[in-house]
Amino acid sequence: MTELPVIDCAEKLEMVVQKIGFLPFFRCEVPGYSLEEHTPAALWFQKGVKGPWEWREMAAERQIIGYGKLVHGKAGFVSAELIPLLANYRRDGYDYDAKYDDGLMKRREKLVMDAVVQNGEMLSADIKKACGFGKNGEKGFDGILTGLQMQTYLLVRRFVYKKDKTGRVYGWGVGQYTTAERVFGDAVVTGRYDQDPKESFDEMTEILSSRLKVEEKELKKLLR
C-alpha cells in the first residue's frame, strides 16, 4: 500500500482526504489506511494539544471534506470528488423521499430526514426529541442515525459543547447533523445519479485502488 504522510494537524488531514478521496478514522481491514495509524501517539488525548478529535470537528465545520459514520458504522472522511460516487452507490440512486415512497426506507428514517431537512441543521438530542424517540416512544435512534450517515444522507456539520455557569466548555461535543447536500451542494452530491450504482461503486473502488496501491477486493469490503 502507498505510505500515507504523517497527519499532525487539521489542514494535513483535509489535504490527505482531498488527495485520496476517502479515509477511515480508525484502523480497518486495510492495514495502514486510517487517520489513527498516521497520527503521532503524542497527539492523542493530550491536554492542551489539538489532536484527531479536534481535527474532525474543525474539518466538519469548514466543510472542505465530509465527516460522519461512513465506514461500517464508524467514523470516516470523504472528499467532494468522491461523494457523488459514494452517494449514488450507498443510496442506490435514490433521494430519501423517493426511497421511502418505493418502500425502501423505514418510517423512522424518514422521520429523522424530514426533521433535519426542515431545520437545516439539528443536534442529535433535538432530532431525537422532535421525532419522538425515547422511553415509550420510537426505538433505535442511534442505529437510525448511523444508518442515514452510512447511506450518505446525513453528515456531521459541527460539534456543540455544554458550558458550565462560568462559560467554560466541558464533556464531549454533541454532533449537529445536516444533509450531505448542504455540505457539498446538491449538484455535487447527486452528480452521478444518472449512473448505475454498481458502476459508481466500481469506479470509486478503481480510483482508490490506483491511488493507494491496494487490491480492489480489499477496498470493496471496506466501502460496502
Side-chain angles (χ1 to χ4, degrees), residues 21-116:
F22 188 84
L23 182 70
F25 191 105
F26 301 107
R27 294 174 187 269
C28 61
E29 296 97 321
V30 182
Y33 183 35
S34 71
L35 171 62
E36 180 181 9
E37 293 163 279
H38 293 278
T39 297
L43 297 179
W44 287 88
F45 300 109
Q46 295 296 318
K47 188 175 182 179
V49 177
K50 290 182 178 179
W53 302 105
E54 289 78 21
W55 304 339
R56 65 173 184 150
E57 297 176 10
M58 297 165 69
E61 187 130 17
R62 287 205 284 248
Q63 300 186 93
I64 295 172
I65 58 177
Y67 171 77
K69 292 184 176 180
L70 302 171
V71 188
H72 299 325
K74 296 180 180 179
F77 306 89
V78 64
S79 69
E81 177 195 8
L82 289 194
I83 187 63
L85 296 169
L86 184 65
N88 189 44
Y89 168 66
R90 292 273 183 88
R91 298 177 180 186
D92 200 23
Y94 280 93
D95 286 331
Y96 85 92
D97 47 0
K99 198 169 192 178
Y100 178 78
D101 290 341
D102 279 1
L104 300 173
M105 174 175 275
K106 298 175 182 177
R107 178 184 60 84
R108 290 171 297 163
E109 290 179 307
K110 186 162 187 298
L111 278 176
V112 171
M113 287 302 302
D114 283 343
V116 175

